Amino acid sequence: MSKDQKSDEKVIIEINDLKIHFGNLEVLSGINLQLFIGENLVVLGKSGSGKSVLIKCIIGLLSANSGDINVLGENTKDLNSKSLAELRKKIGFLFQSGALYDSMTVRENLAFPLNRIRKDLSEAEIETKIIEVLENVGLPEAIDKLPSELSGGMKKRIALARTIIVDPSIMLYDEPTTGLDPVTSYEISLLINDIQKKYKTTSIIITHDIECARTVANRVIMLKDGVVYKVGSLSDFENSDDELVTAYFKSKNNKNTN
């Protein structure tokens, strides 16, 4: 899919009137959105606007108070724990921290999800997949290193490798460039595009990093006060006269609005 182009093909995720509150604090107040096959959908919004809560609801880490989330044709609220676990196997989730296991080498970190999800694979097949994903993220030489021996950018790449090694249909990225320098952030953004092409993924990218959005977005939504405030192409946002939008897109030095 080209930049600034919405897919005309089928909907992979559809969310209708999604609401969630924590005590008296309503975080999502009726979210509606569609994710189309093959696209990178960037989600923008101020801190506290519910961006991370949204994708945690999609994967079932949080339960909404009301509304519907349909993923790959299944309404998640109708799924039992076993069916939800099966659905999660088709979804890759990149946490902000990367969440690598400190006591495991890179090889062991990458083998871990395969041993849980792809029990049909032999040790040789697992090793082949590990080498393949490491080459795809540009770090084959890191295979026997511990996370403590890796830079922040390298950890992010390994976390991406661990996510894509099980061949997910959907990728959910929670602030993929947070804490990284501008050069490394750009490299991670390019890697997100590479993953989209090589693995045919459909993705939601939560980010404050406008340069990341510019690099990866096929379509953009902005959240405000728990609802979708604006939906459109990247050019729609960059050419908007809306003050809230221009606060993100018209500042030349805006790398992180948080």
Side-chain angles (χ1 to χ4, degrees):
M1 182 185 300
S2 62
K3 290 288 182 286
D4 300 339
Q5 178 182 351
K6 185 180 78 172
S7 171
D8 293 325
E9 299 186 55
K10 71 175 182 179
V11 175
I12 295 296
I13 295 177
E14 184 165 14
I15 297 175
N16 295 303
D17 199 26
L18 186 68
K19 298 179 181 180
I20 184 169
H21 58 77
F22 303 111
N24 294 324
L25 177 63
E26 188 168 61
V27 179
L28 301 181
S29 304
I31 292 288
N32 296 284
L33 70 82
Q34 292 180 319
L35 177 68
F36 297 90
I37 189 168
E39 74 172 339
N40 282 341
L41 175 66
V42 166
V43 181
L44 299 174
K46 292 182 178 180
S47 295
S49 61
K51 303 184 303 298
S52 293
V53 169
L54 172 63
I55 57 172
K56 288 176 180 176
C57 286
I58 291 172
I59 203 169
L61 294 177
L62 291 173
S63 297
N65 296 101
S66 63
D68 292 294
I69 303 173
N70 288 278
V71 181
L72 296 170
E74 299 188 82
N75 192 321
T76 57
K77 72 180 181 182
D78 295 334
L79 302 179
N80 58 30
S81 57
K82 182 178 179 181
S83 297
L84 183 59
E86 287 299 312
L87 181 62
R88 283 174 174 164
K89 292 178 182 180
K90 303 172 185 176
I91 304 172
F93 194 112
L94 183 70
F95 294 90
Q96 287 187 37
S97 64
L100 298 176
Y101 296 107
D102 293 335
S103 61
M104 294 183 181
T105 65
V106 167
R107 176 188 271 108
E108 291 167 337
N109 265 282
L110 297 180
F112 184 80
L114 287 177
N115 287 327
R116 293 186 60 203
I117 295 174
R118 294 293 308 275
K119 298 185 184 214
D120 58 311
L121 297 179
S122 67
E123 288 187 13
E125 288 171 324
I126 288 174
E127 184 72 6
T128 297
K129 286 189 72 68
I130 289 171
I131 292 170
E132 176 190 333
V133 294
L134 284 175
E135 288 176 347
N136 283 338
V137 300
L139 285 177
E141 72 281 0
I143 192 167
D144 291 316
K145 293 183 181 295
L146 290 167
S148 60
E149 300 176 278
L150 306 176
S151 68
M154 293 170 74
K155 287 178 182 177
K156 194 73 75 170
R157 286 174 178 269
I158 298 303
L160 272 170
R162 189 180 61 180
T163 303
I164 62 177
I165 201 168
V166 294
D167 300 314
S169 300
I170 298 167
M171 287 288 293
L172 304 177
Y173 297 91
D174 191 5
E175 300 286 2
T177 61
T178 189
L180 302 177
D181 63 84
V183 173
T184 305
S185 295
Y186 181 61
E187 291 173 350
I188 294 298
S189 299
L190 291 178
L191 185 56
I192 290 172
N193 285 339
D194 287 343
I195 288 169
Q196 180 192 29
K197 293 172 185 174
K198 289 178 182 177
Y199 291 87
K200 310 299 182 186
T201 55
T202 301
S203 306
I204 295 177
I205 301 105
I206 303 295
T207 187
H208 281 94
D209 184 346
I210 299 306
E211 294 309 313
C212 174
R214 288 185 171 119
T215 302
V216 306
N218 298 125
R219 194 161 56 98
V220 182
I221 70 170
M222 179 176 285
L223 303 187
K224 181 179 182 291
D225 298 329
V227 298
V228 175
Y229 178 76
K230 181 176 176 63
V231 183
S233 67
L234 185 66
S235 59
D236 289 336
F237 276 77
E238 294 203 295
N239 296 320
S240 174
D241 293 326
D242 185 294
E243 290 184 2
L244 180 64
V245 176
T246 57
Y248 280 81
F249 283 88
K250 293 295 177 68
S251 175
K252 293 181 181 179
N253 297 317
N254 187 358
K255 301 296 182 184
N256 191 319
T257 61
N258 190 15

